[in-house]
Amino acid sequence: MPADTVNRRQFERFALSPMYNRVAVRFTDTETFAFEGHGWDICEGGVCFELARPIAAGTPIVMQIDLPLDAHGNPPMDGPGRSVFVFANVIWLTESDGTGPARMAAAFTRFAREGDKERLIREFCSGRYARAA
């Protein structure tokens, strides 16, 4: 990293396998997860993901993030299932010409279920994730 570059990240990011880490998104005023896509990288404070449609920066959303299966195809053993649920705000969006998926990032504002944050952190400590650049 060049000397004049400042790393503003508060948390270390971990790479996800995009085709295997599903994310589902809904707006905070709806009950149905209407959009599905894939996660690219994740940290304790947010996630970079891709959906078929863009969501404007500043939009509050609710996300269901599927944790990866282990080497034997099993979900994480602790907690209620494979997913972590978070409230978040979209913080950036790549420019898109409308012909392909849109990549964006969201900052977590809070975890929706008790224990989900701890489950996510335990996943990072499992050694199954590579550090993202």
Side-chain angles (χ1 to χ4, degrees), residues 79-104:
R82 181 177 171 199
S83 299
V84 170
F85 292 85
V86 297
F87 288 85
N89 287 317
V90 176
I91 56 173
W92 61 258
L93 166 69
T94 58
E95 292 295 322
S96 174
D97 61 5
T99 61
R103 191 173 299 183
M104 57 206 93

Side-chain angles (χ1 to χ4, degrees), residues 37-104:
H38 304 284
W40 285 92
D41 63 52
I42 191 168
C43 71
E44 182 181 334
V47 64
C48 177
F49 63 103
E50 185 176 88
L51 297 176
R53 72 169 304 267
I55 297 175
T59 304
I61 58 175
V62 180
M63 299 184 77
Q64 175 183 353
I65 303 166
D66 288 351
L67 299 175
L69 300 173
D70 68 15
H72 304 289
N74 299 313
M77 296 307 290
D78 63 335
R82 181 177 171 199
S83 299
V84 170
F85 292 85
V86 297
F87 288 85
N89 287 317
V90 176
I91 56 173
W92 61 258
L93 166 69
T94 58
E95 292 295 322
S96 174
D97 61 5
T99 61
R103 191 173 299 183
M104 57 206 93

Side-chain angles (χ1 to χ4, degrees), residues 6-21:
V6 176
N7 182 359
R8 296 178 301 179
R9 289 191 171 86
Q10 182 178 2
F11 304 107
E12 186 171 17
R13 290 183 307 147
F14 294 90
L16 296 172
S17 299
M19 296 308 290
Y20 301 102
N21 289 101

